[in-house]
Amino acid sequence: VFSMDVSLAARAKLAELVMANHILARFGVVDAFGHVSIRHPDRADRYIMSCSRAPEQVEIEDLVEFDMGGRPISDDRPLYAERAIHSEIYRVRPDVAAVCHNHAPATLPFSVTNTPLRPIAHVAAPMGYCVPSWDIREHFGDTDMLVTTPEVAKSLVAVLGDGPTILMTGHGSTVATHDIRATVLTSVYMNENAKLLTSALLLDRNAVRYLSHGEVSALTARQFSPLALERAWNAWAAQDAASAAVRAGTNN
Ligand SMILES: [Zn+2]
């Protein structure tokens, strides 16, 4: 039985977080690995994320409350190893209310080459003009490449700066915005944009038309407007409800 002590308004946010897990899985942004969190709606010094479970399987009972050190408030279930990413971002970025760490495959080639990951599709503008890249090996030598300590997370977050996205070399990426819907939308379109950019580079690697600084800021405002976020979210949530109904039907 789900027993987290939250306000009624916060309860709706938790349902959104569950939905976010499912949407990100359906778009292939996360698979068995990767995770998404929200800042606690009732208290800014905590955040909420699932216990160690594949995102597509996350349900509300799986959610765990964490402090800014990534310690569970009251829970003894196995937890994601890379909680430090979330803890550190929420700690130093008061503007951030939702974080997604993922291993989306399409973005990975851009983390191991000198080809910058930049938006070419208008819907991908919220990923920012150019995604910065952070290589754990540059700072910590040979490791298992996971961000499991505050020290490593601090190094990552220093490169993230005040931006919305960062590539993690040979590993994946992290997305941080003010809102769970915005983080999901940015994560989904950053991955789609990476696929499109790979195609564009194959067609003509010397003449790709990237979005300009001005286009990125104008389009981000549009994509993050309540109208756009709600339209995307409602469509994706309806797909999730439909597939849940199919799953339930299959089980009968
Ligand atoms: Zn990871």
Side-chain angles (χ1 to χ4, degrees):
V1 175
F2 182 71
S3 61
M4 199 184 296
D5 185 23
V6 294
S7 66
L8 210 57
R11 188 93 192 189
K13 288 279 172 195
L14 301 189
E16 274 194 347
L17 177 57
V18 170
M19 187 70 74
N21 274 274
H22 300 170
I23 293 167
L24 290 164
R26 207 175 52 252
F27 278 101
V29 174
V30 294
D31 51 11
F33 302 101
H35 22 85
V36 58
S37 67
I38 55 170
R39 193 185 290 277
H40 196 306
D42 297 333
R43 44 184 306 175
D45 62 340
R46 290 187 182 173
Y47 67 95
I48 297 168
M49 184 165 66
S50 173
C51 63
S52 179
R53 241 191 141 189
E56 68 182 276
Q57 298 186 302
V58 166
E59 297 299 341
I60 202 154
E61 296 78 16
D62 300 313
L63 300 182
V64 178
E65 188 176 351
F66 296 95
D67 68 16
M68 291 291 135
R71 291 170 292 259
I73 298 307
S74 164
D75 212 293
D76 55 8
R77 290 177 287 186
L79 303 168
Y80 295 135
E82 297 190 282
R83 303 191 298 286
I85 298 170
H86 302 257
S87 313
E88 190 59 20
I89 292 175
Y90 290 126
R91 210 178 59 75
V92 306
R93 290 277 303 272
D95 60 307
V96 168
V99 174
C100 173
H101 167 63
N102 66 74
H103 311 148
T107 60
L108 196 130
F110 295 92
S111 78
V112 297
T113 59
N114 289 322
T115 304
L117 180 54
R118 291 179 54 187
I120 55 169
H122 74 301
V123 287
M127 66 194 264
Y129 178 77
C130 183
V131 182
S133 202
W134 171 83
D135 185 351
I136 190 170
R137 193 162 71 198
E138 254 175 46
H139 307 274
F140 300 97
D142 290 341
T143 63
D144 66 5
M145 293 173 69
L146 299 188
V147 180
T148 54
T149 67
E151 188 195 6
V152 177
K154 279 185 176 64
S155 164
L156 169 77
V157 173
V159 176
L160 174 70
D162 58 4
T165 53
I166 185 166
L167 277 174
M168 300 155 74
T169 300
H171 178 166
S173 67
T174 296
V175 175
T177 80
H178 66 291
D179 173 84
I180 183 64
R181 298 175 181 205
T183 285
V184 169
L185 181 138
T186 303
S187 304
V188 165
Y189 284 129
M190 180 157 108
N191 192 37
E192 297 303 315
N193 185 87
K195 296 177 200 168
L196 295 170
L197 179 52
T198 301
S199 300
L201 288 164
L202 284 171
L203 289 175
D204 187 347
R205 70 165 299 111
N206 297 314
V208 174
R209 180 214 187 266
Y210 295 96
L211 300 190
S212 67
H213 281 291
E215 286 167 340
V216 165
S217 69
L219 286 164
T220 300
R222 185 167 281 276
Q223 282 289 78
F224 282 179
S225 69
L227 188 77
L229 282 181
E230 208 157 292
R231 193 152 97 206
W233 190 264
N234 288 345
W236 295 339
Q239 288 162 11
D240 186 59
S243 53
V246 170
R247 282 196 304 272
T250 314
N251 293 337
N252 280 344

